[in-house]
Amino acid sequence: MWIGAVGAVAGLLIPALTGLGRGALIGAGLFVVGLVAGVLQRRRWFARRAVAAGKAAFAVTLEPPHETRQRLARGHALWLLVGISVTAALGVVAGPAAGLGVLGCGVGLQLSVLLLARWERREEKLLWARTDDGRLLGRRGTVGEFVTTGPSAGNVKAVVHG
């Protein structure tokens, strides 16, 4: 989401080849398309994982969502930097259009996470990513399968760090 915001601001601050008016109009359309694509794509991904999630065993190691986000951000820092650079550079060519499209995808992903949180409250289950699978030399590149716990497990302290 922040990558798109940086690209949109760069497109607004620097005169683009397409002009501000046309770039903003195209960007508004791309924002809506990105929003719908982000919601639909991640919603299906979360729904498949939620349906396949089993109850967590007592001895399983779970990773809180903020730990997962931090781990993935550290692991993909170079790609995030490249994304910001490319989107800001596209702001010079296409105005805020590219940035607004990426921003729409980010907002769509956030919306799908909010829908997942509503599902957790409705079902009275919390979804967790397993950390004891998919390890390669102490690092994981993907999110493991999901497991569920009851709502009282929401205040559990993180077991796995870094």
Side-chain angles (χ1 to χ4, degrees):
M1 197 164 68
W2 295 111
I3 293 172
V6 167
V9 169
L12 290 172
L13 294 178
I14 302 170
L17 299 177
T18 60
L20 183 61
R22 194 169 23 184
L25 187 61
I26 293 169
L30 287 175
F31 179 85
V32 171
V33 169
L35 178 91
V36 170
V39 167
L40 292 179
Q41 192 267 337
R42 275 298 164 187
R43 186 73 188 125
R44 284 190 223 122
W45 187 82
F46 282 132
R48 280 195 308 269
R49 287 181 172 266
V51 167
K55 188 168 169 56
F58 182 74
V60 72
T61 304
L62 302 173
E63 183 174 61
H66 69 276
E67 293 277 336
T68 304
R69 282 191 301 273
Q70 288 175 354
R71 179 179 47 80
L72 290 175
R74 279 192 305 269
H76 297 92
L78 179 63
W79 287 111
L80 291 171
L81 182 63
V82 167
I84 288 173
S85 302
V86 167
T87 307
L90 283 173
V92 174
V93 176
L100 286 172
V102 173
L103 182 62
C105 287
V107 171
L109 294 177
Q110 288 293 330
L111 218 60
S112 65
V113 169
L114 290 174
L115 291 172
L116 181 65
R118 285 183 60 198
W119 178 89
E120 286 181 331
R121 282 191 297 275
R122 186 180 65 243
E123 298 291 322
E124 294 187 1
K125 295 179 182 177
L126 295 176
L127 288 170
W128 299 80
R130 292 199 42 177
T131 60
D132 56 348
D133 61 347
R135 289 188 182 267
L136 177 63
L137 301 175
R139 295 184 58 183
R140 293 189 308 129
T142 60
V143 176
E145 67 182 42
F146 283 6
V147 293
T148 62
T149 61
S152 62
N155 295 329
V156 172
K157 298 282 185 205
V159 176
V160 177
H161 294 285

